[in-house]
Structure formats: structure tokens, C-alpha cells
Amino acid sequence: MQTESLQRSFRQVFGAAPSGVARGPGRVNLIGEHTDYNQGFVLPMAIDLAVHIAFRPRGDSRVRAQSLDFDQRSEFDLQDLSSVRSGWPAYLAGVAWALQDEGVVLTGWEGVVRSQLPVGSGLSSSAAVQMAAARVFAAVSGLEWEPARMARLVQRAENEWVGVRCGIMDMLASACGRRGRALLIDCLDLSRDHVRMPGSAAVVVLDSGTRRELSLSGYNDRRAECEAAARVLGIPSLRYASLADLHLRRDDLAAPLYQRARHVITENQRTLEAAAWLQAGDLTRFGQAMNASHASLRDDFQVSTPELDSLAALAQRHPACHGARMMGGGFGGSVVCLAERGGSRKLAREVLEAYQQLTGREGNAIVSRAADGASLYV
Ligand code: GLA
């Protein structure tokens, strides 16, 4: 359905049929927040909402892309990407830059882009558009699709072209997700385990209606604080720290650094334990780990907001909820909630109503499923 209407749009814009449709899914992170760039553990999943690009190759080195969401056209040459540094076209150009920088010879294409992911809600619309673009570039240029390699390339694009120092989680989830499974990633060596999601559980994303600007927010500051804490502790990253080490060095770490490190250390532990509980089907314990993660992000890492705190607290109190926490970089965006499948719609409705009464803000809910990673339809 989704791809048929996109193919129709392609025909309207370019006057011919596309040769394929690439899909880059968004992601939800169940637990493991602000741990990826500390070489720690994360437990995200790719979801059924995605960015799709209908495309066909060109005989030259130009990219012509039409965004249906922004109603904008972008056109650039792969030989000269330097001017394409902002807005959605920068995501396409950044992927091209990262691939070319690794010596890949690229072919141009034309395409229409459509996203099902609300921007800024914490579902990683940027990783999704970049993964979809990577699939297009790979398809038109005859490049073998290696999901983990592409995730690393897309991370470089985001870090060095777009200028956000994000970790690898979003791209790896979008590239390597599997239907019905969450993905436990060890961000030290990128090794992955697929953990089955119990059929009785539903993942509800509650969008607070507040927006963050990742590149403008405190995200890069938090990352720098984590690196500073690791330097003081004399270790390559906070992955190598234990709570015992941290307590011993308490006097050496200035106030915020101690809390930042404590969040990362405890979040890594919680993520590993939560993955084991998910595997065992113990959703109650899994939910408790999510609640504890929220408290740690709020108090120690200090990336939550009053809106996210309200939404998480309201969700946590709902009878159909196993656990809830803010998700993603923070400073706005969404809360992720693990709920009983049968009660998930009711939970979404009731929690959002209470949230509106409390804050005057209109939220939004998405019940999402674990889906396969980036794919290609030809
Ligand atoms: C953003 C980044 C990720 C990760 C999260 C926090 O989503 O893109 O790499 O660091 O924040 O866990």
C-alpha cells in the first residue's frame, strides 16, 4: 500500500516508473540510553514506521530528490556535495559523502522521499532517511548491502556531515532489526543478539508534543562530560567503569561528572539485566528496569524535561503498563512504554488525556511493532 502510492507519486513527479523502493525504518529504544557512545549496551528495535524512497538510477552523477513531506525538491551533483549541508537534503548528501570517502563509486538517481516518522519525536527519523538513502545508493551503484558496515557509514555521515555526535544505536537498529525481536547491541564491538519480544507485550510510544533539536541541545555536552569522566578515571570509556571504581574516585570527579558516570554504569547493568528478563518473558521486571532508567536519566544524566517526567509518571501508574521511560537523546520527544497488548490502546488514550489535563499539551501515541531492518523492494 505504502509503496504503491509512493510509486504513483514517483510517476507524477518524474513521468516514469521507479525501478525500486528503499525502506529505512525508525527505531524505538527499549532501554540503554546514552550508553552507545560510551561503548556500552543498548536494546532498541526497528519499527514498522519508516522512510521510503521510490527511485530509479540516472546515467550521470546527479541526485534529484523530491520530499513529499516538505514539498521540496533538491538537486545536487555527487562530484560537488559541499553546498548541501542543511535540511533533509543534507542527509542524502552526507550518506553520499561517507560512501565516496570510503572509495565507493556512486551513480546518481532520482527519487521521491516520504516519511511516516514525526520529526523530533525520538523515533530517529534522521537515521531512517539516511538508511533509506544508503539502500538507494547501494542499489543504483551495485554495492553489496552489508547492514553493519552501512550503519557505521551512516553514523559517520551524521557525525561529520550533519554535525551531530550521535552514537551508533539508531543506525544499527534501523539497519539490522528483525521482525518480532529487539536487538541487544554491545556498542564496543557491535556484536548483536536478537531477543524475542513476547507476544503479550506492546510497545507504545507516547509523544510529549515537545521537540528537541539534537544538534542544538545538550547532547554533545553530555557526551563530552562522559568522555571527561572516563579521562579522570583513566579508562578508554565509561564501559570499563564499575560502581565500586566510581565510589573510590568520588572526590576526583566534579559534581556533574560523577552523576553522568553513575547513570552510564547503572544503565549498562540495567540493559543487560532487562535483556535477560525479556528473554525469560518477565515483563514485570523488565518494566521495573525501564522505570529505574527514567529516574536515572532524570536525576543523574539530567536530560529529561517536566513534560517527559509527567508523561512517564502517568504511564507508569496505568494498570496496563509494565514500565515507561523517556526515550532517545532527551530534552523533549517521547516516552516509551511497555504495555499489555490487550490494554495498550486504552492506556494510550487515558494517559494522553491525563497528560493534557496536567500540562495543557496535546500528546500523540503510536503502538509500534518490531520490524525488519532497512529493505529494498524492486
Ligand atoms: C540519540 C542518538 C543515539 C543515542 C541516544 C541516547 O538518539 O542518536 O546515538 O546516543 O540519543 O541514547
Side-chain angles (χ1 to χ4, degrees):
M1 272 307 137
Q2 173 65 24
T3 58
E4 275 167 30
S5 76
L6 196 63
Q7 283 166 331
R8 258 201 312 280
S9 300
F10 184 95
R11 272 189 224 105
Q12 277 159 12
V13 176
F14 294 107
S19 60
V21 177
R23 167 186 154 273
R27 67 99 186 92
V28 154
N29 186 22
L30 295 172
I31 194 163
E33 216 65 90
H34 287 277
T35 45
D36 61 350
Y37 56 80
N38 289 299
Q39 301 185 310
F41 298 93
V42 291
L43 188 66
M45 62 188 212
I47 59 170
D48 41 0
L49 297 182
V51 172
H52 291 90
I53 305 179
F55 66 93
R56 70 171 176 181
R58 287 176 59 91
D60 58 17
S61 60
R62 296 194 74 73
V63 170
R64 290 169 74 205
Q66 175 82 28
S67 161
L68 299 183
D69 309 297
F70 296 104
D71 194 20
Q72 277 173 4
R73 171 77 65 95
S74 169
E75 183 159 351
F76 56 86
D77 197 298
L78 292 167
Q79 319 287 346
D80 178 21
L81 299 169
S82 56
S83 60
V84 198
R85 295 304 285 236
S86 65
W88 61 273
Y91 291 118
L92 311 183
V95 171
W97 166 79
L99 283 161
Q100 293 188 138
D101 201 57
E102 287 222 346
V104 179
V105 178
L106 293 180
T107 301
W109 51 273
E110 47 209 11
V112 290
V113 185
R114 184 164 64 203
S115 176
Q116 301 170 307
L117 297 155
V119 173
S121 66
L123 294 173
S124 279
S125 55
S126 57
V129 70
Q130 291 172 101
M131 285 318 298
R135 280 233 78 150
V136 175
F137 278 117
V140 299
S141 311
L143 181 66
E144 196 190 333
W145 183 253
E146 297 170 78
R149 176 180 175 218
M150 290 301 164
R152 271 195 297 267
L153 275 163
V154 166
Q155 187 196 12
R156 261 200 84 200
E158 179 109 29
N159 289 172
E160 295 176 43
W161 194 264
V162 181
V164 179
R165 294 189 69 210
C166 64
I168 188 94
M169 167 172 70
D170 306 342
M171 295 82 193
L172 215 47
S174 180
C176 303
R178 201 177 282 175
R179 190 163 171 229
R181 313 260 160 165
L183 191 63
L184 176 65
I185 305 169
D186 181 341
C187 298
L188 182 60
D189 59 8
L190 305 192
S191 58
R192 302 176 293 282
D193 269 334
H194 296 273
V195 185
R196 205 179 65 80
M197 293 292 293
S200 61
V203 175
V204 184
V205 177
L206 300 165
D207 185 343
S208 67
T210 59
R211 288 291 175 262
R212 79 206 149 104
E213 265 301 328
L214 200 53
S215 46
L216 301 176
S217 74
Y219 184 88
N220 289 352
D221 297 344
R222 288 298 181 281
R223 190 169 173 158
E225 286 171 342
C226 290
E227 286 161 2
R231 264 196 308 278
V232 173
L233 295 171
I235 48 180
S237 73
L238 289 177
R239 153 67 175 260
Y240 297 96
S242 68
L243 274 185
D245 299 336
L246 190 66
H247 290 149
L248 282 175
R249 304 292 301 277
R250 179 159 203 154
D251 294 342
D252 302 332
L253 283 163
L257 298 194
Y258 180 83
Q259 274 111 300
R260 307 299 185 247
R262 187 165 60 186
H263 165 73
V264 174
I265 294 167
T266 57
E267 185 77 352
N268 277 331
Q269 281 172 356
R270 277 189 291 272
T271 304
L272 287 175
E273 287 165 8
W277 285 323
L278 194 62
Q279 189 96 50
D282 190 336
L283 300 182
T284 303
R285 283 210 164 102
F286 189 91
Q288 286 163 356
M290 290 176 86
N291 296 348
S293 168
H294 183 82
S296 178
L297 287 158
R298 180 192 59 210
D299 302 336
D300 272 351
F301 217 66
Q302 297 178 313
V303 288
S304 191
T305 60
E307 288 87 357
L308 291 171
D309 290 343
S310 304
L311 201 47
L314 290 166
Q316 287 169 7
R317 283 204 289 273
H318 195 280
C321 176
H322 295 292
R325 49 179 286 278
M326 59 145 279
M327 180 176 74
F331 307 105
S334 296
V335 160
V336 58
C337 171
L338 193 74
E340 278 302 318
R341 180 156 291 287
S344 58
R345 305 257 163 216
K346 190 163 184 273
L347 174 146
R349 200 177 51 246
E350 291 176 357
V351 169
L352 289 181
E353 260 170 38
Y355 174 68
Q356 186 168 27
Q357 270 165 24
L358 199 67
T359 63
R361 285 187 183 273
E362 188 141 354
N364 186 41
I366 292 169
V367 180
S368 57
R369 285 172 193 276
D372 283 330
S375 53
L376 187 67
Y377 313 92
V378 283

PDB file of all heavy atoms in Angstrom, residues 21-36:
ATOM      1  N   VAL A  21      11.899   0.573  -4.532  1.00  0.00           N
ATOM      2  CA  VAL A  21      11.577   1.391  -3.361  1.00  0.00           C
ATOM      3  C   VAL A  21      12.471   0.923  -2.209  1.00  0.00           C
ATOM      4  O   VAL A  21      12.555  -0.277  -1.925  1.00  0.00           O
ATOM      5  CB  VAL A  21      10.093   1.245  -2.946  1.00  0.00           C
ATOM      6  CG1 VAL A  21       9.804   2.046  -1.678  1.00  0.00           C
ATOM      7  CG2 VAL A  21       9.162   1.701  -4.061  1.00  0.00           C
ATOM      8  N   ALA A  22      13.173   1.881  -1.584  1.00  0.00           N
ATOM      9  CA  ALA A  22      14.018   1.554  -0.428  1.00  0.00           C
ATOM     10  C   ALA A  22      13.285   1.965   0.841  1.00  0.00           C
ATOM     11  O   ALA A  22      12.564   2.964   0.849  1.00  0.00           O
ATOM     12  CB  ALA A  22      15.344   2.291  -0.524  1.00  0.00           C
ATOM     13  N   ARG A  23      13.481   1.192   1.887  1.00  0.00           N
ATOM     14  CA  ARG A  23      12.812   1.469   3.161  1.00  0.00           C
ATOM     15  C   ARG A  23      13.838   1.521   4.283  1.00  0.00           C
ATOM     16  O   ARG A  23      14.638   0.590   4.435  1.00  0.00           O
ATOM     17  CB  ARG A  23      11.806   0.348   3.438  1.00  0.00           C
ATOM     18  CG  ARG A  23      11.246   0.311   4.832  1.00  0.00           C
ATOM     19  CD  ARG A  23      10.380  -0.936   5.042  1.00  0.00           C
ATOM     20  NE  ARG A  23      10.362  -1.277   6.454  1.00  0.00           N
ATOM     21  CZ  ARG A  23      11.256  -2.040   7.072  1.00  0.00           C
ATOM     22  NH1 ARG A  23      12.260  -2.580   6.403  1.00  0.00           N
ATOM     23  NH2 ARG A  23      11.162  -2.277   8.356  1.00  0.00           N
ATOM     24  N   GLY A  24      13.821   2.622   5.043  1.00  0.00           N
ATOM     25  CA  GLY A  24      14.680   2.745   6.221  1.00  0.00           C
ATOM     26  C   GLY A  24      13.781   2.919   7.432  1.00  0.00           C
ATOM     27  O   GLY A  24      13.120   3.959   7.559  1.00  0.00           O
ATOM     28  N   PRO A  25      13.704   1.926   8.315  1.00  0.00           N
ATOM     29  CA  PRO A  25      12.775   2.041   9.439  1.00  0.00           C
ATOM     30  C   PRO A  25      13.267   2.973  10.536  1.00  0.00           C
ATOM     31  O   PRO A  25      14.474   3.155  10.718  1.00  0.00           O
ATOM     32  CB  PRO A  25      12.676   0.605   9.963  1.00  0.00           C
ATOM     33  CG  PRO A  25      13.951  -0.043   9.578  1.00  0.00           C
ATOM     34  CD  PRO A  25      14.405   0.629   8.299  1.00  0.00           C
ATOM     35  N   GLY A  26      12.333   3.526  11.291  1.00  0.00           N
ATOM     36  CA  GLY A  26      12.665   4.234  12.521  1.00  0.00           C
ATOM     37  C   GLY A  26      12.989   3.213  13.598  1.00  0.00           C
ATOM     38  O   GLY A  26      12.957   2.000  13.352  1.00  0.00           O
ATOM     39  N   ARG A  27      13.266   3.702  14.778  1.00  0.00           N
ATOM     40  CA  ARG A  27      13.558   2.765  15.860  1.00  0.00           C
ATOM     41  C   ARG A  27      12.957   3.245  17.178  1.00  0.00           C
ATOM     42  O   ARG A  27      12.717   4.445  17.387  1.00  0.00           O
ATOM     43  CB  ARG A  27      15.062   2.529  16.025  1.00  0.00           C
ATOM     44  CG  ARG A  27      15.840   3.758  16.501  1.00  0.00           C
ATOM     45  CD  ARG A  27      16.119   3.731  17.993  1.00  0.00           C
ATOM     46  NE  ARG A  27      16.731   4.963  18.471  1.00  0.00           N
ATOM     47  CZ  ARG A  27      16.047   5.980  18.940  1.00  0.00           C
ATOM     48  NH1 ARG A  27      14.726   5.966  18.976  1.00  0.00           N
ATOM     49  NH2 ARG A  27      16.665   7.069  19.384  1.00  0.00           N
ATOM     50  N   VAL A  28      12.724   2.263  18.035  1.00  0.00           N
ATOM     51  CA  VAL A  28      12.351   2.548  19.410  1.00  0.00           C
ATOM     52  C   VAL A  28      13.485   1.996  20.247  1.00  0.00           C
ATOM     53  O   VAL A  28      14.052   0.961  19.912  1.00  0.00           O
ATOM     54  CB  VAL A  28      11.013   1.834  19.726  1.00  0.00           C
ATOM     55  CG1 VAL A  28      10.877   1.552  21.203  1.00  0.00           C
ATOM     56  CG2 VAL A  28       9.838   2.655  19.227  1.00  0.00           C
ATOM     57  N   ASN A  29      13.852   2.688  21.305  1.00  0.00           N
ATOM     58  CA  ASN A  29      14.857   2.102  22.197  1.00  0.00           C
ATOM     59  C   ASN A  29      14.177   1.670  23.485  1.00  0.00           C
ATOM     60  O   ASN A  29      13.639   2.502  24.218  1.00  0.00           O
ATOM     61  CB  ASN A  29      15.971   3.110  22.491  1.00  0.00           C
ATOM     62  CG  ASN A  29      17.100   2.472  23.289  1.00  0.00           C
ATOM     63  OD1 ASN A  29      17.250   1.249  23.271  1.00  0.00           O
ATOM     64  ND2 ASN A  29      17.879   3.281  23.982  1.00  0.00           N
ATOM     65  N   LEU A  30      14.195   0.379  23.759  1.00  0.00           N
ATOM     66  CA  LEU A  30      13.514  -0.126  24.962  1.00  0.00           C
ATOM     67  C   LEU A  30      14.271   0.275  26.216  1.00  0.00           C
ATOM     68  O   LEU A  30      13.681   0.687  27.200  1.00  0.00           O
ATOM     69  CB  LEU A  30      13.366  -1.647  24.884  1.00  0.00           C
ATOM     70  CG  LEU A  30      12.467  -2.151  23.751  1.00  0.00           C
ATOM     71  CD1 LEU A  30      12.534  -3.661  23.645  1.00  0.00           C
ATOM     72  CD2 LEU A  30      11.026  -1.691  23.978  1.00  0.00           C
ATOM     73  N   ILE A  31      15.584   0.126  26.179  1.00  0.00           N
ATOM     74  CA  ILE A  31      16.408   0.535  27.328  1.00  0.00           C
ATOM     75  C   ILE A  31      17.874   0.612  26.879  1.00  0.00           C
ATOM     76  O   ILE A  31      18.259  -0.020  25.887  1.00  0.00           O
ATOM     77  CB  ILE A  31      16.224  -0.430  28.530  1.00  0.00           C
ATOM     78  CG1 ILE A  31      16.810   0.185  29.812  1.00  0.00           C
ATOM     79  CG2 ILE A  31      16.773  -1.815  28.244  1.00  0.00           C
ATOM     80  CD1 ILE A  31      16.320  -0.472  31.095  1.00  0.00           C
ATOM     81  N   GLY A  32      18.673   1.387  27.629  1.00  0.00           N
ATOM     82  CA  GLY A  32      20.073   1.589  27.258  1.00  0.00           C
ATOM     83  C   GLY A  32      20.197   2.955  26.611  1.00  0.00           C
ATOM     84  O   GLY A  32      20.387   3.083  25.411  1.00  0.00           O
ATOM     85  N   GLU A  33      20.075   4.009  27.450  1.00  0.00           N
ATOM     86  CA  GLU A  33      20.045   5.373  26.894  1.00  0.00           C
ATOM     87  C   GLU A  33      21.334   6.101  27.269  1.00  0.00           C
ATOM     88  O   GLU A  33      21.770   6.045  28.425  1.00  0.00           O
ATOM     89  CB  GLU A  33      18.818   6.097  27.452  1.00  0.00           C
ATOM     90  CG  GLU A  33      18.152   7.028  26.481  1.00  0.00           C
ATOM     91  CD  GLU A  33      17.544   6.315  25.276  1.00  0.00           C
ATOM     92  OE1 GLU A  33      16.370   5.923  25.351  1.00  0.00           O
ATOM     93  OE2 GLU A  33      18.263   6.164  24.264  1.00  0.00           O
ATOM     94  N   HIS A  34      21.911   6.771  26.271  1.00  0.00           N
ATOM     95  CA  HIS A  34      23.188   7.476  26.426  1.00  0.00           C
ATOM     96  C   HIS A  34      24.307   6.513  26.823  1.00  0.00           C
ATOM     97  O   HIS A  34      25.256   6.897  27.502  1.00  0.00           O
ATOM     98  CB  HIS A  34      23.064   8.634  27.429  1.00  0.00           C
ATOM     99  CG  HIS A  34      22.291   9.788  26.867  1.00  0.00           C
ATOM    100  ND1 HIS A  34      22.851  10.745  26.071  1.00  0.00           N
ATOM    101  CD2 HIS A  34      20.959  10.096  26.955  1.00  0.00           C
ATOM    102  CE1 HIS A  34      21.923  11.625  25.703  1.00  0.00           C
ATOM    103  NE2 HIS A  34      20.761  11.241  26.223  1.00  0.00           N
ATOM    104  N   THR A  35      24.164   5.284  26.390  1.00  0.00           N
ATOM    105  CA  THR A  35      25.225   4.292  26.619  1.00  0.00           C
ATOM    106  C   THR A  35      25.971   3.972  25.331  1.00  0.00           C
ATOM    107  O   THR A  35      27.103   3.502  25.383  1.00  0.00           O
ATOM    108  CB  THR A  35      24.633   2.981  27.187  1.00  0.00           C
ATOM    109  OG1 THR A  35      23.457   2.661  26.437  1.00  0.00           O
ATOM    110  CG2 THR A  35      24.266   3.119  28.648  1.00  0.00           C
ATOM    111  N   ASP A  36      25.350   4.221  24.161  1.00  0.00           N
ATOM    112  CA  ASP A  36      26.006   3.763  22.911  1.00  0.00           C
ATOM    113  C   ASP A  36      27.351   4.440  22.690  1.00  0.00           C
ATOM    114  O   ASP A  36      28.337   3.780  22.381  1.00  0.00           O
ATOM    115  CB  ASP A  36      25.069   3.887  21.683  1.00  0.00           C
ATOM    116  CG  ASP A  36      24.593   5.293  21.353  1.00  0.00           C
ATOM    117  OD1 ASP A  36      24.805   6.228  22.150  1.00  0.00           O
ATOM    118  OD2 ASP A  36      23.991   5.449  20.263  1.00  0.00           O
TER     119      ASP A  36
END
